[in-house]
Amino acid sequence: MVATTSNNLICFTNCFLPQEDGSLVEKDLWIDERRGVILDAQRTFFLRKERPNTIIDLGGNILSPGFIDVQINGGFGFDFSVYEGDDQIYRDGMKLVAEKIVETGVTALVPTIITQEKTLYPKLLNLLRPWSPPHAAHLLGWHVEGPFLQMSKRGAHSPALIIPAPEGFKTFESTYSPENLADAEDWLMSGDTVDNTVGVRMITAAPEVEGVMEAINEASKRGICFSIGHSMATTDIATAALRNGARCITHLFNAMPQLHHRDPSIIGLLGASPYLSPSSSSTFLPFPSAIINALNASMPSLPIAKEPSIDHISEAFDEIKTPPQTPMLLAEQAHKKSLLPTGKSTASPGSAVISATPLGSRQSGEIELKKYPTTIPFDRPFYEIIVDGIHSHPNSVRLAYSAHPDGCILITDAMKILDPHLKDGVHDWRDGRRFYKEGDALYVEGTTTLAGSVVTLDKCVRNFVCYTGCSIGQAIRCATYNPARCLNIENKKGTLRAGADADLAVLDHQGNVLSTWVKGKMVWVRK
C-alpha cells in the first residue's frame, strides 16, 4: 500500500535492512526524497515533529544499499575504452550505461579503461570525472588498468602499449596528466562537480614493474586507490606494495601467479597474519629491488603454453600459464642454504631462532627460542572477484571468501556487450566478427574461443550465495559496503547510515532486483 502527500519524507516499512556486518534486520527506513539522503528516524521525528506521509510497504522484501561496481569496462553497446574523437558521443555513451545499469541494482559504478595509446589517457580520464546523470547510476570517477602491467600477465591488453615507469610517479603524471592525479580535494574542485560529490580514482598496476613501487605511496597520499593486478609479484613484493599504500587486488585469481605453498604470491595475501615480524618487514621498506630485478630478468624465459583448443580474449584471463611450481627465488634461496656449513643460520637480526640442540639434551619444558621478535600490524587487502563461474571456479571463490570475508568485493569486469536482455545465440560483435552467447559466456562464432563474460552484478550476488553458502545479507555486503570501504566512501555509498545517499535496491530474498532508487527517487521497477 502506498499513501502519498508532500512533506518529502518517505518511510519504507515491512522490510529487511542489510547491516554492515552482513546480517538482516527487520526495520523501517526513512529517507528525505528532496535531499536524496537517508535519515535518522528518531532524530528527524524529534526535530521536525512529523512522520513521513509517504509510506511504502515492501512486503517483507530486502531494502539494500544500491550495488557498487568498481570494475566495469562498458555495457549496452558502449565501451569506456573507445574514444572516437567526439566528446559528446562519449558522454552520451556514459549516460546510456548509467541509465540502463540500474536494472541490475547498480546505483554507482567506476568506469574502467584498459591499456591505451599514451596520448588518450588525459582526454579519457578528464571525460570520466564524477557525474550523476538524472534518473541514472552515479559515475564515480575512473579505474585505469594499465599501462604499467607485467607483460606475461597482460591478458587482452595490447603488448605494444605496456610500459614501465622509470621515473616513478613522474611517469604516472606524464601518462595520465598531472591534473588527473592531483590531490583528491583539488581534483574534485577543478571540475564542474557540485558540493559533496563523491569522487573515485583507481589504478591497477604490477608493483614489480620498474618504477611502480615508488609511485604507490604518492598515489595513495593523493587519495587514489592502488590495486595490484596483471602481476607476477612474489609474496615479498606484493606485501611491500601494501606497506607502501596499495589497498586492493584486481580480479583475484586472474592474471596473477597461481597459489604455491612456499610463495603464495598475491593470492596468499588473503591469508596473511595481522602482524609482520621485523625479519620479514626489513625486506619491504625499502622494497626488494634485487628481487624485482631478478623477477623482471626472468620474464622473457617464461614458457608460453595455451590450452590446445581454447584461446582467451577477456582482459582478465592469463596470456601465459603459470602453474604452481617452486618459485625461482625460493629455489635460489634453498640452493644457497644447502651450501652453508652445518650449524650456520640464515636468520636475519631480530628474528626468532630455533636451536638445533638434539631433543634429548634439552631440559624438560625448555623452549629453544633465542629471541622473540617484535611485530608490526598489517592489514590485508580488499580483493575483487568475478563470480560468473567462468573466471573463477566456485571452489576458488569459496576458498577466498572463507580466508578473508571482510575484504571481498564482487565485480563484473563486464564489457560493452553487457545487456541482461541479450538472448543466447549469434550476435554481431566488431571488425566484421560475430560471437555466440551461451548464458554468461561469450565465444567467437564457430570456435571455443572465450570472448569474456557478460554477467551482471545482481547475478554475481546470487551466484555468490550458491558458491560460498553465505547468507544473502553477507553477499549483499560484498557488493555494497565492502567496495565502499575500499574506496573510502562508506559514509555516502554502500550503506544505510543516516546522512548517506538514498541509493537503494529492493530485492527479494533470492537476490532478484525488484526496484532501484537513486538519491531518493525510483529510477527502475520490475514490470
Side-chain angles (χ1 to χ4, degrees), residues 9-30:
L9 301 184
I10 297 177
C11 172
F12 295 96
T13 191
N14 188 18
C15 56
F16 288 84
L17 306 183
Q19 304 299 292
E20 293 175 359
D21 64 358
S23 62
L24 294 177
V25 174
E26 189 172 8
K27 187 179 179 181
D28 292 352
L29 184 77
W30 289 20

Side-chain angles (χ1 to χ4, degrees), residues 338-396:
S338 70
L339 300 178
L340 289 173
T342 304
K344 297 290 185 180
S345 170
T346 58
S348 58
S351 62
V353 179
I354 301 178
S355 171
T357 305
L359 288 174
S361 64
R362 294 182 189 174
Q363 299 296 318
S364 176
E366 180 182 357
I367 300 176
E368 293 294 321
L369 287 178
K370 300 300 185 183
K371 186 176 181 181
Y372 289 101
T374 55
T375 54
I376 301 168
F378 178 73
D379 292 328
R380 290 180 291 176
F382 292 92
Y383 59 95
E384 306 170 351
I385 192 161
I386 308 169
V387 190
D388 60 357
I390 301 168
H391 284 80
S392 298
H393 190 279
N395 291 2
S396 299

Side-chain angles (χ1 to χ4, degrees), residues 482-510:
N482 284 357
R485 282 195 305 129
C486 178
L487 301 173
N488 288 317
I489 59 173
E490 69 269 27
N491 287 328
K492 286 290 185 179
K493 305 288 184 186
T495 179
L496 299 179
R497 297 178 186 178
D501 292 339
D503 299 338
L504 309 166
V506 179
L507 314 171
D508 64 22
H509 285 263
Q510 287 70 51

Side-chain angles (χ1 to χ4, degrees), residues 307-326:
E307 298 290 342
S309 61
I310 297 179
D311 194 4
H312 300 310
I313 294 179
S314 170
E315 68 83 20
F317 281 116
D318 291 349
E319 179 71 15
I320 292 179
K321 302 292 181 182
T322 48
Q325 54 191 341
T326 302

